[in-house]
Amino acid sequence: MKDLLKHIDRRRFLNVSAAGIAGALAAGSARPLWGQAKERPKPTADTLIVLWMAGGMAQTETFDPKRYTPFEPGLESRRVLSTFRPMDTVVDNIKVSEGFTRLAKVMDRGTLVRGYQAGDLGFILHSRHQYHWHTGYAPPQSVAAPHIGSVIARTLGPKNPDVPAFIDIGQNMEIGAESDALKAFHTAGFLGTEYGPFMIADPADAMASVRPPAHMTSSRFQNREKLYKKMLEANPVLRQGADFQQESFVRAMDNAHRLLNAPAARAFDLSLEPKESYARYNTGRFGLGCLLARRLTEAGARFIEVTTEYIPFRFWDTHENGHDRMAALKPMIDGPVAQLVLDLEERGLLNRTLIVLATEFGRDMMTEGKPGLEVKNQVDVPDTMAATKHYGMHRHFTEAGVVLLFGGGMKRGFLYGETADERPCKVVRGAMGIEDLHATIYRAMGIPADLAYEVEQRPFYVTRDGKGKPRMDLFA
Amino acid sequence: MMDISFRPLLAGLCALPALLAQDSLGDRAHAVLAARCLGCHGSQAQGGLDLRTQAGALRAVQPGNSAASLLMARISGAKPPRMPMGGAPLTASETELLRQWIDQGAPYPAARAAEPKWTPPLAPRQVTPPAGGAHPIDAFLPVNKPLVSDGVFARRVWLDLWGLLPTPAELKRFEDDRTEGKRDKLVARLLSHKENYAGHWMSFWNDLLRNDEGVIYHGERKSITPWLRKALEDNLPYDEFARRLISPESPSDPDGFLTGVTWRGVVSASELPPMQAAQNSAQIFLGVNLKCNSCHDSFISKWQLADAYGLASFFAPEPLEMVRCDVKTGRVQQARFLFPELGSVPEGLDLKGRRAVAADLFTKPANGRFARTYVNRIWARLLGRGLVANVDDLSAEPWNADLLDWLAMDFAGQGYDTHKLLARIMNSRAYQLPSVTEVSAGPRYRFEGPERRRLSAEQLADAVASLTGEWRPVENRATREVAYAREWRFKSSPLTRALGRPIRDQVTTVRQSQPTMLQGLELVNGATLARMLRRGAQRLMGTLPPAPKALFDSGPVRGVKMRPRCEIDLTGASKLWLLLEDYDTYDPARARAGWMAAEFVTAAGAAVPAAEAFPATRLNALPLGTELVLDLAGKGFTRFVATAAVEEASAASDVNASVRLFAFTQEPDREQLVQAAGPTPVVRPHLSLATPQLAVIHLYRHALSRDPSAAEMMLARQTIGARLTPEILEDMLWALVMSPEFQYIR
């Protein structure tokens, strides 16, 4: 595409793509530039759920188990590849790390990718890698890059107009030093605030986001809207002439009120879920987030992200005590994710809902970065382990990571990619970077990898430079 | 998808900025059709519908009757299949646009002749304003319409200069004033108030200069707030302003601008700090976009890779080696200005020397583009549309080149004084015309008045605060001074982000002002606005409980080394409130802190440990957010003594507890735990509650700068009923604030 563009002078470029320029200005947001393909890919999914394991989930402790070495004082760090035993799943050639009894039983509904490789950004900073994962671009960028949820919201629009097209569950935005970096990618960027995330920090509180303000009764809230409409009617200034600006504003208010009154709003109310079902999901905020995601999918959501939440050094961000912390984290996700898959399947929605469980990079005990492209160590790993706090995967490993994909047109019970069984545990087959992962996800949603949006008279591609190639092997 | 045969309709529109100049309703509607429909309903004429001509569109369009037009039913989904098929639905604005276009007869323009190409001048150009017109701007833009009323004018200038609403008292004074030139005098008076002026324009410059409050980035990033605030308060001449940013020399100069936004790790060559400096300074000060050609020669303009590097080399320790698409070229580009005709760069200069040369080249009088770019930004800010429509691309043809050149030279001639520039524009008739939302059809943009503009996020927040008197205090973390603050002083909130306050990683010159559903949700039931209005209504009614002063304020307590001692007098107190607040802890859920070694001292001087005095209540190792209320009745305690402390485990790096403890002997106001010293940015309004009429008149005059109509008064009286309560007032305030009349500058 780049070489082609070199030969198109400005006039022709603008004439050739004339159609949308003024349209973009008229509409106030960047216009799409559909790429080379004559036809858009047929979607295999209508809804995307990203289950975000923030903090760098150790792949050899979860879905790419290696040889188990039990702890003993004096154990050499470099001998440890996994601190858990592997266990069988319902898929013959797939083993996962012990502790995933429920997920093991639903492996036949999905594809397991073992060769995901995070970007080489020269230094491990979680929020920078998270930005890279969610936008496909490494910051700093000269334009505000949009989150994958925003790209989908912009390109496809909401599924049910009463449900915001991009919903983000589980992340508190004020987390100390990396707050601003976090905010930098939780945005629709240049696509326009219309497509930004609807944030729900605590799923148990989700109902509050679609209810009248806490101190206001429902009837007062309805009366307030009536008063508003009557005031507009009585207003002598507003009645002077047709005015699409004013109409747009009132319509935005109407849309908000409509959501609050719509049947879809009940999806946000977890208290309406039957008790036994609620209990199956209730391992904490993440678990309830998965329940909320299911309910929203049933109500017609388009893109939902549920995160285990990024807080520096918490959850998957194991700089020490890796084994013990992983032992506590696995039950947090095992039941809810498996239940989400089963519930969607039971409701006939799994085939058209793509679930992607992913993380910004994996972990290793020895390498920080990639073998051959190491970066500054941020964790002190002793040569031999003296205490259990040393026992686990503590360094940030961008060479390999896992992605689990369920439903949405993906192969069932399929293994893609492989890492070596011995250090440095490089990817030996099926290496995939974010460009191709996004291309694959977008393809499933019916979006070509070289779709671009125009910003400042240049195309900004949904995968970096339009280079993403979907891995068709993953599709059923 | 791209229908090249649509070219006749867009003939002559060979440049994007020129396109911006043509935007009658018909043009804009056609642009939407072109972008969203012609892919199938152009030359392919799917379903027999060809939207390129009126004849071809009749299948779906009934000119004059949008309600009966199939097109409207399809795009709304009322009549499936919803259009565009397989694509995102049209936005509310686009739908409205098409509705109005159809109702106005669905006009299609005649073909236009090709226009000659425009070359932007570099040097300033002397222009004599046309004859006639007391004010030179009006000589260029004669529009024969009556000016806006005093009320509309007052609201406009207050918002444009201070970002605040005129108070009813100020409004009355202005309206009653019969002196000659009172409007000019009002502008001058508003300009002379340093704090209020700066309190508004800070946001404009924060957007441009990528400066923000409370931002902590990994790597280097430096705030320029103290310098910027002072520069605005002192009305620093614009050329000097730019020079300090481009070539900071003294310690108080804003070197944060050149530091840029950096992230730890490997950064693309095109985004290294000197490249960021080149991109940003070119965009802000000269309306040149160097972003494309920071990686390769631009495909859409004349700028080349060497130009970006040439400018960047002014800001790099050593001249930079050019990197094309992340591949080193082996060629070093010496410092070279974008317009070499303005001057060459002596060889062998160090960084400081090169910066000084850059500052000179940017700001010298011969660089007419410098003044043009700025006056264009200010014009766009005040009139809603730049003389060059895209304020970041001054290579495009202005819709009135004479006016732009005259204004630029006028500005440079009077010493680059921004106040004088603002007054110049605001004293013209052009600025005081009624605002327009539509422009009449025609081949070129014709000025008929300022465009209607939306209140910014900060203006909205400050307007609500000034309406209610409910200002929030902000604490300066370095000096611990607490003052009532305008919105710009606070970190962005979900409300202000939804309303368009940008993440300041990139330069923002124009904010998004379209209404969106997410905004709607924040405005309708978001917690931030709800709290402001609820407290605001209580404050106006006088029912807000007073905010007592804390008897003990630990200040920020971090780690285990900080253990401030609390010793307070309990004489006469019936209750003791002990609060433990989070102050930016990494992981608040796991942090524990509290009152260590707490004791209550009796009148006799005996010290009773807290565990004995209140056995049911633990005072230490508490979760954050704990509020303890201890009943002192009958206990005879005269003093409370304790040490504010973070638990050992909570000091660990993955919890990083940072807390603040307070003790009160009267019920605290959780929104005002620390008391602000000093006045509110505007005097708190006094709502006359003598009669409902007076209250309603006051509200309308404050919110909308006009009296309520008879119908509005009747509605308000009905709503208030027998007695105005804080709840009713809150809801009326909300409805007023949600009125498009409030949200836009008329």
Side-chain angles (χ1 to χ4, degrees):
Chain A
M1 184 74 160
K2 248 198 306 231
D3 288 327
L4 192 64
L5 281 177
K6 230 188 255 194
H7 298 294
I8 300 179
D9 68 12
R10 180 185 190 186
R11 273 179 80 118
R12 269 201 48 218
F13 170 82
L14 288 168
N15 272 336
V16 160
S17 45
I21 295 178
L25 304 169
S29 67
R31 64 169 182 121
L33 297 167
W34 297 95
Q36 310 284 11
K38 282 264 162 242
E39 288 170 8
R40 300 204 206 152
K42 254 170 68 94
T44 57
D46 307 309
T47 299
L48 174 62
I49 302 176
V50 171
L51 300 175
W52 181 245
M53 309 288 111
M57 179 180 75
Q59 74 287 9
T60 59
E61 307 279 60
T62 52
F63 302 105
D64 190 9
K66 303 292 176 193
R67 184 183 63 249
Y68 165 60
T69 315
F71 173 76
E72 54 183 3
L75 175 61
E76 278 184 277
S77 296
R78 64 185 173 80
R79 283 186 48 215
V80 179
L81 291 168
S82 289
T83 69
F84 296 90
R85 291 180 184 78
M87 66 180 280
D88 289 326
T89 70
V90 294
V91 179
D92 283 339
N93 62 332
I94 297 181
K95 287 192 197 307
V96 297
S97 187
E98 68 180 335
F100 284 127
T101 33
R102 306 276 318 279
L103 275 169
K105 297 206 177 78
V106 299
M107 265 315 149
D108 57 348
R109 273 80 160 180
T111 288
L112 172 55
V113 167
R114 281 188 174 150
Y116 174 73
Q117 297 190 303
D120 300 311
L121 304 186
F123 181 85
I124 303 295
L125 179 64
H126 286 274
S127 44
R128 194 170 186 217
H129 279 272
Q130 288 165 12
Y131 184 119
H132 182 242
W133 196 100
H134 284 90
T135 66
Y137 290 87
Q141 287 288 319
S142 63
V143 297
H147 189 290
I148 181 174
S150 298
V151 172
I152 287 174
R154 171 76 175 89
T155 311
L156 303 178
K159 190 155 168 272
N160 175 349
D162 287 341
V163 179
F166 175 4
I167 300 178
D168 196 296
I169 303 169
Q171 181 72 55
N172 174 13
M173 295 304 274
E174 301 295 337
I175 55 159
E178 285 180 83
S179 298
D180 305 294
L182 206 62
K183 288 170 192 161
F185 68 88
H186 279 83
T187 176
F190 70 85
L191 291 180
T193 52
E194 175 97 35
Y195 308 106
F198 181 60
M199 307 283 307
I200 301 173
D202 189 344
D205 259 348
M207 199 52 200
S209 339
V210 294
R211 266 234 163 95
H215 65 289
M216 210 176 273
T217 62
S218 177
S219 67
R220 179 177 162 197
F221 183 72
Q222 311 287 0
N223 287 337
R224 190 181 74 168
E225 191 193 1
K226 292 201 187 92
L227 171 63
Y228 176 56
K229 286 297 164 74
K230 287 198 203 133
M231 276 177 86
L232 294 179
E233 268 294 298
N235 184 319
V237 168
L238 294 179
R239 271 185 283 123
Q240 295 162 9
D243 184 332
F244 83 94
Q245 234 177 20
Q246 275 163 199
E247 310 251 11
S248 288
F249 184 83
V250 175
R251 197 166 295 270
M253 301 294 288
D254 284 347
N255 287 343
H257 278 106
R258 202 181 71 227
L259 168 59
L260 268 54
N261 291 318
R266 298 178 43 163
F268 291 84
D269 189 354
L270 295 187
S271 74
L272 295 176
E273 183 76 9
K275 295 258 181 300
E276 316 87 62
S277 174
Y278 184 96
R280 280 195 281 267
Y281 282 94
N282 191 11
T283 60
R285 252 175 38 173
F286 175 75
L288 292 179
C290 290
L291 172 58
L292 181 55
R294 192 214 74 208
R295 292 174 64 86
L296 289 170
T297 303
E298 292 175 83
R302 175 70 77 190
F303 176 94
I304 309 169
E305 178 158 337
V306 188
T307 170
T308 53
E309 194 177 21
Y310 178 57
I311 297 180
F313 311 116
R314 290 240 39 212
F315 305 116
W316 303 107
D317 187 12
T318 49
H319 281 224
E320 55 185 17
N321 279 313
H323 174 87
D324 290 340
R325 286 173 55 176
M326 294 300 279
L329 280 169
K330 289 183 192 183
M332 193 175 92
I333 70 167
D334 183 43
V337 178
Q339 198 62 45
L340 176 63
V341 172
L342 290 170
D343 279 358
L344 287 173
E345 184 180 65
E346 187 182 37
R347 288 154 175 76
L349 295 172
L350 185 60
N351 279 342
R352 299 293 301 189
T353 305
L354 177 59
I355 302 172
V356 176
L357 184 145
T359 186
E360 62 255 40
F361 41 67
R363 288 199 177 259
D364 182 54
M365 204 42 169
M366 307 309 294
T367 311
E368 182 102 350
K370 286 189 168 80
L373 262 177
E374 283 93 355
V375 298
K376 182 164 180 286
N377 279 329
Q378 295 184 47
V379 182
D380 274 325
V381 170
D383 290 334
T384 57
M385 301 184 184
T388 54
K389 83 166 187 181
H390 297 136
Y391 186 54
M393 297 293 120
H394 299 150
R395 285 212 164 120
H396 311 95
F397 194 53
T398 52
E399 165 70 19
V402 291
V403 184
L404 265 175
L405 301 108
F406 293 99
M410 297 292 116
K411 283 195 166 95
R412 303 296 178 101
F414 183 62
L415 178 61
Y416 185 82
E418 190 186 335
T419 56
D421 285 333
E422 295 298 334
R423 279 225 157 70
C425 297
K426 292 175 76 157
V427 175
V428 298
R429 210 168 37 80
M432 170 162 28
I434 194 64
E435 290 81 10
D436 286 0
L437 178 60
H438 277 181
T440 307
I441 293 171
Y442 281 130
R443 180 65 139 85
M445 301 294 289
I447 299 174
D450 63 351
L451 169 65
Y453 280 92
E454 186 181 22
V455 55
E456 295 174 359
Q457 298 174 261
R458 49 139 318 186
F460 191 95
Y461 296 91
V462 302
T463 63
R464 190 176 57 84
D465 298 342
K467 291 277 172 36
K469 298 260 170 300
R471 298 292 172 98
M472 298 314 296
D473 287 342
L474 268 57
F475 287 83
Chain B
M1 271 151 299
M2 273 77 74
D3 191 357
I4 301 184
S5 61
F6 198 48
R7 195 189 293 228
L9 201 65
L10 299 170
L13 302 180
C14 53
L16 180 64
L19 196 60
L20 283 159
Q22 344 258 335
D23 69 343
S24 65
L25 178 64
D27 281 328
R28 273 181 296 161
H30 286 285
V32 173
L33 294 176
R36 310 304 302 279
C37 315
L38 289 197
C40 297
H41 296 296
S43 60
Q44 288 185 48
Q46 294 218 13
L49 176 65
D50 181 349
L51 289 166
R52 292 174 298 165
T53 64
Q54 200 184 72
L58 286 178
R59 221 186 159 87
V61 173
Q62 273 201 37
N65 190 347
S66 64
S69 295
L70 180 60
L71 187 146
M72 298 309 298
R74 289 271 198 244
I75 66 179
S76 70
K79 208 163 190 291
R82 187 185 57 68
M83 294 293 162
M85 204 186 284
L90 265 55
T91 66
S93 314
E94 288 168 333
T95 306
E96 273 320 305
L97 188 56
L98 291 179
R99 188 193 312 279
Q100 291 184 20
W101 169 68
I102 296 178
D103 284 335
Q104 285 194 24
Y108 279 78
R112 282 175 277 258
E115 296 181 4
K117 197 166 179 326
W118 166 260
T119 317
L122 180 63
R125 183 170 75 100
Q126 179 86 331
V127 178
T128 311
H135 191 299
I137 288 177
D138 298 319
F140 287 102
L141 303 177
V143 175
N144 193 12
K145 274 190 205 171
L147 303 185
V148 294
S149 67
D150 278 348
V152 173
F153 177 77
R155 192 173 194 262
R156 207 186 267 185
V157 297
W158 273 62
L159 284 168
D160 279 347
L161 290 178
W162 283 7
L164 295 168
L165 297 172
T167 63
E170 292 271 4
L171 180 62
K172 180 160 172 44
R173 221 179 349 258
F174 179 65
E175 284 174 333
D176 290 347
D177 186 358
R178 297 268 172 261
T179 59
E180 181 86 20
K182 71 175 183 181
R183 289 191 178 191
D184 290 9
K185 291 201 182 91
L186 176 59
V187 169
R189 185 165 72 75
L190 294 175
L191 283 168
S192 70
H193 194 304
K194 308 190 321 179
E195 288 82 16
N196 287 358
Y197 170 83
H200 174 53
W201 288 88
M202 276 303 289
S203 300
F204 173 79
W205 282 108
N206 279 348
D207 282 2
L208 272 172
L209 300 174
R210 305 195 296 167
N211 186 45
D212 210 341
E213 298 310 301
V215 167
I216 314 155
Y217 269 83
H218 278 275
E220 297 140 32
R221 178 154 176 166
K222 209 167 158 205
S223 165
I224 61 166
T225 298
W227 174 86
L228 180 58
R229 194 173 182 183
K230 186 161 192 315
L232 289 173
E233 287 177 351
D234 294 348
N235 191 29
L236 188 65
Y238 177 66
D239 57 340
E240 184 59 24
F241 182 88
R243 274 198 288 273
R244 296 297 174 94
L245 288 162
I246 294 166
S247 177
E249 286 172 5
S250 75
S252 60
D253 280 343
D255 58 325
F257 174 67
L258 293 179
T259 302
V261 176
T262 56
W263 295 70
R264 273 193 251 164
V266 166
V267 167
S268 160
S270 66
E271 290 299 317
L272 290 169
M275 294 296 280
Q276 290 186 30
Q279 289 163 19
N280 295 351
S281 56
Q283 176 179 359
I284 297 166
F285 298 118
L286 299 177
V288 172
N289 180 356
L290 295 181
K291 294 180 191 177
C292 296
N293 58 307
S294 291
C295 275
H296 50 71
D297 295 349
S298 172
F299 303 141
I300 57 167
S301 73
K302 67 173 190 174
W303 301 109
Q304 302 194 314
L305 187 65
D307 297 317
Y309 273 88
L311 187 57
S313 289
F314 282 100
F315 303 113
E318 296 297 330
L320 298 166
E321 177 189 356
M322 297 203 289
V323 178
R324 171 174 274 118
C325 302
D326 293 324
V327 174
K328 294 190 181 175
T329 61
R331 285 169 43 208
V332 171
Q333 176 59 51
Q334 297 298 320
R336 188 190 74 192
F337 197 56
L338 296 175
F339 305 104
E341 57 267 53
L342 287 175
S344 58
V345 186
E347 302 222 359
L349 288 177
D350 66 358
L351 174 58
K352 191 156 171 295
R354 273 176 279 125
R355 281 182 184 175
V357 171
D360 174 60
L361 291 168
F362 267 92
T363 62
K364 64 198 296 186
N367 186 353
R369 191 142 168 167
F370 177 69
R372 281 192 189 94
T373 304
Y374 185 60
V375 307
N376 191 52
R377 283 197 198 289
I378 298 297
W379 182 276
R381 181 86 167 171
L382 297 178
L383 279 292
R385 168 195 300 265
L387 292 161
V388 176
N390 181 351
V391 295
D392 293 318
D393 184 3
L394 268 280
S395 68
E397 185 175 2
W399 54 264
N400 192 321
D402 286 348
L403 173 54
L404 176 63
D405 290 351
W406 174 84
L407 191 60
M409 221 166 161
D410 184 65
F411 175 61
Q414 44 84 326
Y416 296 93
D417 182 329
T418 297
H419 282 191
K420 287 189 181 148
L421 172 65
L422 289 165
R424 205 51 151 147
I425 298 173
M426 295 168 97
N427 291 343
S428 68
R429 280 182 51 91
Y431 173 79
Q432 298 179 31
L433 289 166
S435 64
V436 298
T437 53
E438 292 307 324
V439 199
S440 5
R444 281 181 82 85
Y445 171 73
R446 198 170 75 234
F447 177 79
E448 286 172 17
E451 303 212 343
R452 173 106 52 76
R453 291 165 293 136
R454 178 104 185 260
L455 254 53
S456 68
E458 290 86 347
Q459 282 176 317
L460 186 75
D462 285 345
V464 173
S466 57
L467 258 185
T468 59
E470 182 58 16
W471 293 94
R472 285 130 66 214
V474 76
E475 187 184 41
N476 181 322
R477 295 228 163 166
T479 64
R480 303 275 306 279
E481 284 166 354
V482 184
Y484 289 110
R486 302 275 303 263
E487 180 62 38
W488 73 265
R489 296 278 307 275
F490 297 94
K491 279 205 257 199
S492 68
S493 65
L495 174 66
T496 54
R497 285 197 291 275
L499 288 172
R501 176 162 165 171
I503 306 290
R504 292 190 170 125
D505 277 23
Q506 287 84 24
V507 170
T508 301
T509 59
V510 176
R511 288 211 184 163
Q512 298 160 10
S513 62
Q514 306 287 101
T516 69
M517 171 153 85
L518 289 182
Q519 279 176 21
L521 285 168
E522 275 295 331
L523 295 173
V524 166
N525 81 332
T528 318
L529 183 66
R531 187 172 55 245
M532 287 165 76
L533 288 172
R534 185 173 85 251
R535 287 181 58 93
Q538 289 173 331
R539 182 175 286 286
L540 278 175
M541 301 278 311
T543 61
L544 198 61
K549 195 166 180 315
L551 265 66
F552 171 72
D553 172 0
S554 69
V557 175
R558 283 182 205 90
V560 292
K561 295 226 178 74
M562 301 170 76
R563 295 256 159 110
R565 186 166 164 75
C566 166
E567 199 172 322
I568 58 180
D569 181 9
L570 295 178
T571 332
S574 56
K575 286 206 178 103
L576 176 64
W577 281 262
L578 298 175
L579 275 65
L580 169 57
E581 299 287 297
D582 176 28
Y583 200 79
D584 259 2
T585 302
Y586 257 12
D587 190 0
R590 284 193 304 162
R592 297 285 178 273
W595 312 84
M596 233 172 57
E599 290 177 336
F600 289 85
V601 183
T602 65
V608 181
E612 248 182 70
F614 296 94
T617 314
R618 198 182 71 233
L619 260 63
N620 66 339
L622 300 165
L624 304 190
T626 304
E627 178 174 318
L628 300 172
V629 187
L630 303 172
D631 192 350
L632 303 171
K635 304 244 184 182
F637 295 137
T638 56
R639 279 192 7 254
F640 171 72
V641 178
T643 302
V646 165
E647 291 297 298
E648 183 97 30
S650 300
S653 64
D654 60 341
V655 179
N656 213 348
S658 175
V659 302
R660 195 157 176 175
L661 291 85
F662 297 90
F664 290 86
T665 50
Q666 290 169 273
E667 171 125 37
D669 179 346
R670 288 192 144 276
E671 303 286 330
Q672 307 236 31
L673 293 175
V674 285
Q675 307 259 307
T680 51
V682 196
V683 168
R684 286 194 165 120
H686 172 72
L687 181 67
S688 171
L689 298 170
T691 68
Q693 261 114 314
L694 284 176
V696 174
I697 291 172
H698 171 108
L699 287 175
Y700 269 82
R701 286 180 70 78
H702 203 169
L704 303 175
S705 298
R706 66 170 174 85
D707 287 322
S709 68
E712 288 170 322
M713 177 59 86
M714 191 160 76
L715 174 62
R717 297 286 306 274
Q718 280 169 3
T719 308
I720 291 170
R723 197 172 58 92
L724 182 63
T725 63
E727 290 76 27
I728 295 173
L729 178 58
E730 181 190 341
D731 291 347
M732 288 178 66
L733 274 170
W734 179 86
L736 265 175
V737 170
M738 291 310 124
S739 167
E741 190 188 350
F742 184 93
Q743 295 270 339
Y744 288 86
I745 300 176
R746 201 150 57 93

